[in-house]
Amino acid sequence: MRTLIYVPIIHTSADLGSLAEEVTKRGIRDLGSEIWSKHEETVLSFWDVIIKYFDSIEVSGFKLYQDGMPAEGEVGQRIVDEVVKSGSKNYEVIANLIHRGAILVRTEDVDLVKEEHSMLLRITRAKTVVNKFMGLIRYKLAKDNLLNKRDEFIAERIEETLNEGETGVIFIGAYHNIRQRLPKDFQIREIKDINKVREYHKLFRFYHKHRKQIEELSRYLISEIPKGG
């Protein structure tokens, strides 16, 4: 049997790179600085819980699959080191796992990652409302197909590189759908319920309408993970 520890992630600002400023501005504009700060605290606490979980288990020999990771070996390690410097909690976990003997595996098709990133950049860098709107329309029309292509590639990479008896860890955005694309001989261990992570993502934009539900989800996200996952 092959085991895959599934970590549905929530991005911090540091993970968003050149998109971070626009996302933060929009979050503060739509929700207010106090609520946005609460969200950032929740996300950081979520990652603290993830770090604590992996600190509690032996990870030597684990294969690591990371959302957006287009390389492995020395190139992959350089990418990890650079993103850690930017303050990414996600990549801080990856770097720690590598240090403890886990193995980084190329996870994504670089062309697909670049295509999506370029579309998002065009939206955030648009000089006019019309251009921003057109960029958003193009992205909405293309994103599902693009996500499906990425998911197919990621699932193929995991199937090809995770051998019988091995354990892998995937750090992946909550809207990806990798699980259903993997063979039935995989044992999937979600250390946080992907549906609850998705629900938090979906409802947070409407915080004032769903405050109690979001607060409940926030408590779940930052709750300790049992050692068994």
Side-chain angles (χ1 to χ4, degrees), residues 3-205:
T3 301
L4 186 66
I5 299 174
Y6 202 106
V7 187
I9 63 176
I10 307 175
H11 292 294
T12 63
S13 294
D15 296 318
L16 300 175
S18 55
L19 301 173
E21 185 178 355
E22 178 70 19
V23 170
T24 300
K25 281 182 179 178
R26 190 173 67 182
I28 293 172
R29 182 194 67 206
D30 293 346
L31 299 167
S33 58
E34 184 178 347
I35 292 171
W36 187 253
S37 293
K38 283 182 181 179
H39 166 66
E40 291 184 323
E41 287 172 12
T42 295
V43 174
L44 291 175
S45 296
F46 167 84
W47 281 108
D48 287 341
V49 166
I50 301 298
I51 290 168
K52 186 176 180 181
Y53 169 77
F54 282 109
D55 282 347
S56 74
I57 64 174
E58 176 56 55
V59 299
S60 182
F62 281 17
K63 302 281 183 67
L64 302 179
Y65 305 93
Q66 168 62 45
D67 189 342
M69 176 55 65
E72 55 192 18
E74 291 184 10
V75 175
Q77 184 64 61
R78 286 202 298 271
I79 293 171
V80 171
D81 292 342
E82 285 301 313
V83 183
V84 168
K85 288 177 186 176
S86 74
S88 169
K89 300 288 279 187
N90 183 174
Y91 276 76
E92 181 184 328
V93 179
I94 294 290
N96 180 263
L97 293 175
I98 294 171
H99 179 72
R100 294 168 57 205
I103 303 159
L104 183 66
V105 179
R106 179 172 73 92
T107 307
E108 296 251 29
D109 181 327
V110 65
D111 291 333
L112 294 175
V113 173
K114 282 182 177 178
E115 184 179 348
E116 181 172 39
H117 192 254
S118 294
M119 292 178 76
L120 291 170
L121 274 181
R122 280 197 290 271
I123 296 169
T124 59
R125 292 178 176 175
K127 301 294 185 183
T128 67
V129 173
V130 171
N131 286 342
K132 188 181 287 285
F133 177 75
M134 293 303 295
L136 188 60
I137 293 296
R138 280 193 291 269
Y139 177 67
K140 285 185 174 181
L141 290 172
K143 71 173 183 176
D144 287 344
N145 184 49
L146 198 53
L147 191 65
N148 284 331
K149 286 182 180 178
R150 287 179 63 196
D151 285 352
E152 287 172 7
F153 186 90
I154 292 168
E156 286 176 7
R157 286 294 295 160
I158 295 171
E159 184 180 0
E160 289 168 0
T161 57
L162 193 65
N163 300 316
E164 179 66 27
E166 291 185 330
T167 297
V169 185
I170 183 165
F171 297 85
I172 192 82
Y175 286 102
H176 285 267
N177 188 7
I178 306 301
R179 183 168 187 160
Q180 293 180 0
R181 288 178 163 85
L182 293 171
K184 295 190 183 300
D185 69 319
F186 272 76
Q187 179 186 21
I188 311 294
R189 191 188 308 161
E190 284 182 12
I191 63 172
K192 285 291 180 182
D193 185 331
I194 190 169
N195 290 318
K196 290 185 178 180
V197 178
R198 284 175 180 165
E199 192 173 13
Y200 178 84
H201 275 289
K202 183 172 68 176
L203 295 181
F204 187 78
R205 292 173 297 166

